[in-house]
Amino acid sequence: EVQLVESGGGLIQPGGSLRLSCAASGFTVMYNYMSWVRQAPGKGLEWVSALYSGGTTYYADSVRGRFTISSDNSKNALYLQMNNLRDEDTAVYYCAKQTSTSTTFHYWGQGALVTVSS
Amino acid sequence: DIQMTQSPSSLSASVGDRVTISCRASQSIGRALNWYHQKSGEAPKLLMYDASNLQSGVPSRFSGSGSGTDFTLTISSLQPEDFATYYCQQSYTAPTFGQGTKVEIK
């Protein structure tokens, strides 16, 4: 059974850094296609970043240059390193699994809340 | 970016009603269109992919149609567990979502 469990969220001041983790089970992250999707409070869904099998990475314009997606094969985990955080980055961040390069999100984690505020 | 526009933004319906939600893309996306629903406090859940393919485990009262720029999600007979917010999402290019349609109890 595919399971995704996010951790690492919290309250951070503007300009600060935070790393989100997504522990995966039921499949191997390094052979799959993974994304981070976020949802600001009371708002809709926004794709943030993707990591494809082979190591290719993709970013939304709103986070490119500030966020970095990566994985740890020994821990079967996905990460999102978030630097220079802004108020508008406040959101629940979901880890999501695709079945291919088609960005259809078949599985989602429960989400991790990141609050950027002074 | 491809913009996705859903209509209506919200609707009120009764159990047993037939409900239709529309989604329009700002440019042609073929059939690269997915539908999700999200209950309050929960993660989104995939309902339909590639416009009309029912995700495994999703009840057959859900159906999807469309191609190009105009798509529709239909719930043939609304059930209590279907009251949620519905999102369309294009997978043609860098993914973008519609703003959501909240389905409420009348």
Side-chain angles (χ1 to χ4, degrees):
Chain A
E1 179 190 6
V2 170
Q3 284 197 319
L4 300 166
V5 179
E6 299 93 337
S7 60
L11 174 63
I12 188 76
Q13 292 187 336
S17 297
L18 205 60
R19 188 179 82 156
L20 299 180
S21 301
C22 172
S25 58
F27 70 101
T28 304
V29 169
M30 69 179 292
Y31 297 134
N32 278 271
Y33 305 85
M34 304 293 296
S35 278
W36 289 96
V37 177
R38 69 184 180 183
Q39 185 171 36
K43 303 297 184 181
L45 299 162
E46 179 189 18
W47 172 78
V48 172
S49 180
L51 174 63
Y52 284 4
S53 170
T56 305
T57 58
Y58 301 88
Y59 298 94
D61 289 344
S62 57
V63 305
R64 187 175 291 113
R66 300 187 299 123
F67 290 12
T68 303
I69 191 171
S70 64
S71 65
D72 184 330
N73 299 335
S74 66
K75 296 182 178 179
N76 203 34
L78 182 74
Y79 302 100
L80 186 68
Q81 176 66 43
M82 304 182 292
N83 297 331
N84 191 19
L85 282 160
R86 306 167 179 167
D87 290 350
E88 56 265 33
D89 295 318
T90 294
V92 173
Y93 286 73
Y94 295 102
C95 168
K97 178 183 179 299
Q98 305 160 208
T99 56
S100 68
T101 54
S102 169
T103 51
T104 299
F105 306 114
H106 286 254
Y107 299 96
W108 298 68
Q110 86 289 349
L113 175 62
V114 173
T115 302
V116 184
S117 175
S118 54
Chain B
D1 289 0
I2 297 176
Q3 307 302 316
M4 307 301 294
T5 304
Q6 290 180 231
S7 61
S9 295
S10 65
L11 65 90
S12 296
S14 301
V15 172
D17 283 354
R18 181 181 181 89
V19 169
T20 299
I21 299 170
S22 298
C23 178
R24 175 166 288 178
S26 59
Q27 65 184 73
S28 179
I29 58 171
R31 293 177 60 81
L33 191 284
N34 307 311
W35 290 98
Y36 304 83
H37 76 175
Q38 183 180 34
K39 297 179 183 179
S40 181
E42 297 184 6
K45 175 185 175 183
L46 178 66
L47 297 174
M48 311 286 305
Y49 62 95
D50 295 342
S52 61
N53 293 301
L54 196 66
Q55 170 67 355
S56 176
V58 174
S60 58
R61 63 180 179 272
F62 290 92
S63 63
S65 63
S67 65
T69 60
D70 293 304
F71 301 86
T72 300
L73 175 71
T74 299
I75 309 172
S76 61
S77 177
L78 198 66
Q79 298 302 299
E81 59 268 31
D82 301 335
F83 293 96
T85 299
Y86 291 78
Y87 294 95
C88 62
Q89 174 243 327
Q90 62 83 12
S91 55
Y92 188 76
T93 61
T96 49
F97 294 84
Q99 81 280 13
T101 295
K102 187 172 185 178
V103 176
E104 299 176 301
I105 299 173
K106 181 182 284 185

